[in-house]
Amino acid sequence: MTKTGTEGVRRLAWILDELIRIPGTNMRVGLDAVIGLIPGGGDLAGGALSAYTIVAAHRLGAGPAVILRMGMNIVIDMIVGTVPLLGDLFDAGWKANTRNVALLDRYSSSPQPVRKSSRVVVFIVLAVLVAMLAATAYLSIRLFGWLLRQF
């Protein structure tokens, strides 16, 4: 895997984690933190976009250990991101996609042989992400329905 092989993942990570510089600081946030501000759906959209990095990593030959760690970064980002305010601050600092690019870079510097079983790992990680996205969507719909009934 070459640096150019990860260029699409690197670009997506930059857009999701570093796109916008906060004026007067050296801090940067990306679309993941911004869309995470949208109640319910923001973290769903961020998680769905981040899931692409796992597919790309598999295509680039990353093994099960790398893919599992990438999946855990996204899961942590999604779970903590659902907490109002604290989750938004966490999203700005955690930068799961940037972490995943670093994992791919480390893998590319000393690649390990990949077995066919890594497809199973990719499927399981993506299935967990899809299940989390569905659960978050369901809970968000239920919460909004309950809030509307209160008023």
Side-chain angles (χ1 to χ4, degrees):
M1 176 171 60
T2 63
K3 184 175 180 180
T4 57
T6 62
E7 204 54 44
V9 175
R10 191 177 308 284
R11 181 94 171 133
L12 178 63
W14 182 81
I15 290 169
L16 292 174
D17 292 344
E18 305 284 336
L19 182 65
I20 304 162
R21 187 178 66 80
I22 298 173
T25 71
N26 289 330
M27 288 185 55
R28 299 185 75 84
V29 297
L31 290 182
D32 187 32
V34 174
I35 62 176
L37 294 170
I38 301 168
D43 292 307
L44 290 173
L49 290 169
S50 295
Y52 170 75
T53 61
I54 292 173
V55 173
H58 176 65
R59 287 182 183 158
L60 293 168
V66 174
I67 291 170
L68 282 172
R69 289 186 65 194
M70 290 175 73
M72 286 306 300
N73 285 335
I74 296 169
V75 167
I76 290 168
D77 186 42
M78 286 176 55
I79 289 173
V80 179
T82 60
V83 177
L85 189 59
L86 175 66
D88 300 319
L89 294 173
F90 181 82
D91 272 345
W94 180 250
K95 300 183 187 297
N97 300 291
T98 301
R99 289 171 183 267
N100 287 346
V101 167
L103 285 170
L104 280 176
D105 286 344
R106 268 186 259 138
Y107 165 77
S108 66
S109 67
S110 62
Q112 304 294 319
V114 179
R115 297 182 300 269
K116 288 194 181 253
S117 64
S118 68
R119 287 186 183 156
V120 173
V121 172
V122 171
F123 176 77
I124 291 170
V125 169
L126 290 176
V128 167
L129 288 174
V130 167
M132 287 186 63
L133 290 170
T136 303
Y138 173 77
L139 291 173
S140 296
I141 290 168
R142 298 286 299 202
L143 176 64
F144 284 129
W146 177 80
L147 286 172
L148 289 174
R149 286 191 301 272
Q150 300 305 310
F151 298 107

